Amino acid sequence: MPVEATETEVVVTHPSNGNTAVKILNYGATAYSWTIEGKEQLWLSAAAKLDGSKPVRGGIPLVFPVFGKNTDDEYLSKLPQHGVARNSTWEFLGQVKENPPTVQFGLGPELANEELTSLWPFDYTLVLTIELGKEHLKTDIEVVNTSTAEALKFNWLFHTYLKIDDIEDTMVSNLAEFKVYDQVLKQTYIDNQPVVSVHEELDRVYQKVSENRVIQVVDKGEPIHTLKRKNLPDVVVWNPWVDKSKSMADFEPKSDYEKMICIEPGHVHDFIVLKPGEKWSGSQLLSKDSLKYQVV
Ligand code: BG6
């Protein structure tokens, strides 16, 4: 069976290979495992909670309607870091395509975490579409403002935790020349380095990265992950390194900051504002590709 749904999760298997699969928890609609011919592509903490007691530490948590902690919006500022979507149980809407197998999940205020919805009382529908290819995983989000009277103001981000072999041998390409807000240094600057390499805690929001930039995670010269985006202009690169990993109870083993890097495409530098009835969508495509240096 290419799609198996239980009470708590959905497993999609590719018809060409029983070991190419994606597992999605209804909680947060979080894809927490993606394998290509048995090889895991996403990082998941050994201490991640998969029981809905907190957002999943790993996989692809969904960030909506606010990235980080907002301090100035009347309603968004009441929400916890990264918002409502990753703290809510989504509805499995079913399989929408046979091959590549594609499934959908939905969320709206009637289903979402009640406490958070009372703090941020807006009308919306989210539809997440997940397509599993032989060598790719596409996640597409559509947001509709279902209110007849009020605007809907939000951020969106796919908080993608990628599995890597060793952070010291890893670099991230094709982000040079863009403006960065560095959340560790609390500074804005243009990143002129040809590639991003990580030697300490790194938490950067690259802004308005042209859509034609293909972001690659390169391990000793070999591209191991390729990420393409539609309508997601900002890219967060995050690795917690030693001290921050220690401070996160659900980050285990503590040495695993060496085995992961988050590359998070989103729309977070500013807010998307939809008028009543309007729609917005964005997507992330994770795949395998040859090395493409677009800037050196
Ligand atoms: C990243 C942020 O997107 O998420 C970091 O840029 C943050 O600042 C990280 O630490 C993890 O956030 P959380 O809420 O899952 O611990």
Side-chain angles (χ1 to χ4, degrees):
M1 277 287 282
V3 177
E4 277 181 70
T6 67
E7 288 280 286
T8 54
E9 66 172 35
V10 175
V11 179
V12 181
T13 306
H14 198 272
S16 71
N17 188 310
N19 293 319
T20 297
V22 59
K23 296 181 181 172
I24 309 130
L25 271 192
N26 296 356
Y27 190 73
T30 317
Y32 69 92
S33 166
W34 167 39
T35 50
I36 299 178
E37 298 188 359
K39 188 161 192 259
E40 182 60 57
Q41 305 295 313
L42 300 176
W43 180 82
L44 178 70
S45 166
K49 297 279 184 224
L50 301 180
D51 60 359
S53 58
K54 63 183 295 184
V56 178
R57 178 69 63 201
I60 313 179
L62 306 175
V63 170
F64 169 90
V66 66
F67 169 71
K69 191 80 190 88
N70 179 277
T71 49
D72 47 29
D73 180 89
E74 183 183 351
Y75 295 101
L76 292 170
S77 60
K78 297 189 177 140
L79 292 175
Q81 159 128 328
H82 296 341
V84 178
R86 67 174 188 168
N87 289 297
S88 298
T89 302
W90 291 51
E91 182 184 6
F92 176 50
L93 301 175
Q95 182 171 5
V96 291
K97 208 203 266 180
E98 188 79 20
N99 197 3
T102 306
V103 294
Q104 286 187 326
F105 291 81
L107 188 72
E110 67 293 346
L111 264 187
N113 181 307
E114 266 178 53
E115 189 195 330
L116 302 184
T117 300
S118 69
L119 300 173
W120 184 74
F122 288 87
D123 287 333
Y124 61 90
T125 301
L126 302 182
V127 176
L128 174 76
T129 304
I130 301 188
E131 173 186 300
L132 177 70
K134 263 172 107 163
E135 283 207 327
H136 75 252
L137 184 72
K138 187 168 170 222
T139 56
D140 178 278
I141 187 70
E142 182 180 82
V143 182
V144 186
N145 180 359
T146 50
S147 163
T148 50
E150 280 178 304
L152 182 71
K153 172 180 168 187
F154 60 95
N155 294 138
W156 179 269
L157 175 123
F158 292 107
H159 197 304
T160 308
Y161 287 79
L162 295 170
K163 192 171 165 74
I164 59 173
D165 270 356
D166 186 347
I167 191 74
E168 307 267 5
D169 292 331
T170 300
M171 58 198 201
V172 182
S173 68
N174 298 332
L175 284 167
E177 295 162 4
F178 291 103
K179 201 188 246 191
V180 168
Y181 178 66
D182 190 313
Q183 306 211 83
V184 177
L185 300 176
K186 311 233 174 305
Q187 274 176 17
T188 300
Y189 53 85
I190 306 285
D191 186 3
N192 285 320
Q193 299 295 317
V195 291
V196 182
S197 54
V198 188
H199 310 285
E200 58 193 337
E201 182 185 352
L202 188 136
D203 189 355
R204 295 181 188 164
V205 185
Y206 286 82
Q207 298 168 9
K208 300 190 179 153
V209 178
S210 331
E211 200 159 288
N212 66 0
R213 287 290 181 95
V214 174
I215 299 161
Q216 294 192 303
V217 177
V218 181
D219 175 28
K220 297 187 230 57
E222 288 297 320
I224 53 171
H225 300 287
T226 295
L227 192 152
K228 293 181 184 162
R229 300 156 292 128
K230 276 214 181 106
N231 227 4
L232 299 173
D234 308 316
V235 180
V236 178
V237 180
W238 179 59
N239 180 287
W241 210 253
V242 179
D243 291 344
K244 182 106 187 202
S245 310
K246 280 190 195 148
S247 74
M248 291 184 279
D250 60 352
F251 194 106
E252 288 289 351
K254 293 301 176 203
S255 59
D256 251 29
Y257 71 88
E258 295 169 347
K259 305 281 179 201
M260 54 74 68
I261 189 157
C262 283
I263 311 285
E264 312 164 28
H267 192 131
V268 298
H269 172 60
D270 50 20
F271 288 101
I272 299 156
V273 182
L274 295 181
K275 292 190 191 124
E278 280 185 345
K279 285 182 187 174
W280 171 90
S281 63
S283 72
Q284 153 181 281
L285 174 66
L286 296 169
S287 66
K288 302 290 161 188
D289 209 339
S290 53
L291 194 59
K292 290 188 175 24
Y293 275 130
Q294 296 172 307
V295 278
V296 276

